[in-house]
Amino acid sequence: MTDLNLVIAALTADGDDVDRMVADLPAAKWALETPSPGWTIAHQIAHLSATFRMAGLAASNAEAFAALASKLSPDFDANVRHAMAGYLAEPPDVLLTRWRTERDGAIKALAAAPPDQMVPWLVNPLPPAVLGMAGMMELFGHGQDIADALGIKPERTDRIQLIVAFAIRTWTFGYLARGLTPPETEFRFELSGPSGALWTFGPEDSPNRITGSAADFCLLVTRRRHRDDLDLAAAGAEADRWMDIAQAYRGPAGDGRTPGQFRSTT
């Protein structure tokens, strides 16, 4: 079982990293377009705010979360737009305050949850540590969009090992999002963290393997960079196919990024 205290500390630090990018941002810059088509910096923070609000509710009040979830539409994109609407209606200074409130509330609720008690979530209940890891993945992806819009190069630390572990736990999502049947074969992952540490997952003798930079792996599974622009390699036909469809989140894959769109991968 992943240590909940470790996840909470990492989630808090990642939230602080995103906060620093927007804390002193002039109001006009909240309207800057990000690489996600149609999404400004305000959209990115609104989405994170809505996501953390739901996580906080799930961890603190299961009945209220169930009532909220029961009202969701089968249209994923419509749910996202609806969740963000109230936040986007606010001026940047109010949105910033609300983002901080939702973030802090979710972290507090997850930290207080019994580590071995499942927390209700949109598809399946999750341990609070795993839901916290999902929050880290959200912060990584949407934070990267904000960084790209502002021309910032995020500093990655070995905290991303938790995002890597989450992405490997959810490695079938890319298939499911496209109505494909995941293969029965297990992959081998050999990834180097920012410190140079080697992180390995899966059977050593698997003919399908992914190797390379862990930071670039996180960019791949959040679909913030095209595979051609990343320090990653696939061996085996199924692993190569997976690199084209990898994603660590439920719902539509989105537009992703085009080859050569970014000169730097991290």
Side-chain angles (χ1 to χ4, degrees):
M1 179 184 295
T2 304
D3 184 273
L4 179 58
N5 290 329
L6 178 66
V7 173
I8 293 300
L11 179 63
T12 301
D14 285 358
D16 288 343
D17 284 348
V18 170
D19 194 88
R20 277 191 290 273
M21 289 193 289
V22 297
D24 299 316
L25 207 58
K29 287 199 172 183
W30 284 77
L32 282 176
E33 293 290 331
T34 69
S36 293
W39 281 42
T40 64
I41 290 176
H43 283 83
Q44 302 289 348
I45 294 297
H47 177 74
L48 287 172
S49 299
T51 300
F52 274 72
R53 174 179 177 269
M54 291 182 66
L57 192 63
S60 63
N61 191 330
E63 291 185 2
F65 176 80
L68 175 65
S70 69
K71 298 176 182 177
L72 295 178
S73 160
D75 186 331
F76 181 89
D77 289 333
N79 289 331
V80 171
R81 290 192 298 271
H82 178 74
M84 292 195 301
Y87 297 100
L88 288 172
E90 305 284 9
D93 60 331
V94 177
L95 174 55
L96 178 63
T97 298
R98 293 189 66 185
W99 141 246
R100 289 170 170 168
T101 298
E102 307 295 14
R103 176 199 64 195
D104 294 347
I107 291 173
K108 181 178 179 180
L110 287 168
D116 58 350
Q117 181 175 305
M118 302 294 275
V119 175
W121 196 235
L122 298 174
V123 178
N124 298 309
L126 299 172
V130 175
L131 186 52
M133 292 158 71
M136 291 180 65
M137 182 272 297
E138 292 283 341
L139 287 167
F140 184 100
H142 295 285
Q144 183 65 52
D145 285 340
I146 294 169
D148 287 334
L150 295 173
I152 295 171
K153 183 177 180 179
E155 181 180 351
R156 304 302 183 192
T157 74
D158 279 7
R159 294 196 304 269
I160 64 169
Q161 185 176 13
L162 292 167
I163 303 175
V164 171
F166 179 78
I168 291 171
R169 178 189 179 100
T170 60
W171 74 278
T172 60
F173 282 6
Y175 295 97
L176 300 176
R178 295 162 177 80
L180 303 173
T181 301
E184 295 183 2
T185 184
E186 291 187 71
F187 292 0
R188 172 72 169 179
F189 298 89
E190 299 178 354
L191 303 167
S192 298
S195 69
L198 179 64
W199 303 329
T200 61
F201 304 83
E204 292 185 28
D205 61 350
S206 174
N208 287 284
R209 58 184 57 226
I210 308 292
T211 58
S213 161
D216 282 8
F217 181 80
C218 292
L219 289 167
L220 177 78
V221 299
T222 55
R223 296 181 60 78
R224 263 52 188 190
R225 294 291 187 271
H226 191 275
R227 62 176 290 183
D228 290 354
D229 297 330
L230 299 173
D231 179 19
L232 294 170
E238 196 57 54
D240 185 70
R241 179 194 188 201
W242 183 83
M243 287 268 284
D244 287 330
I245 64 173
Q247 66 182 75
Y249 52 88
R250 289 279 189 176
D255 296 318
R257 304 292 178 263
T258 57
Q261 185 175 353
F262 299 93
R263 292 183 179 274
S264 175
T265 59
T266 54

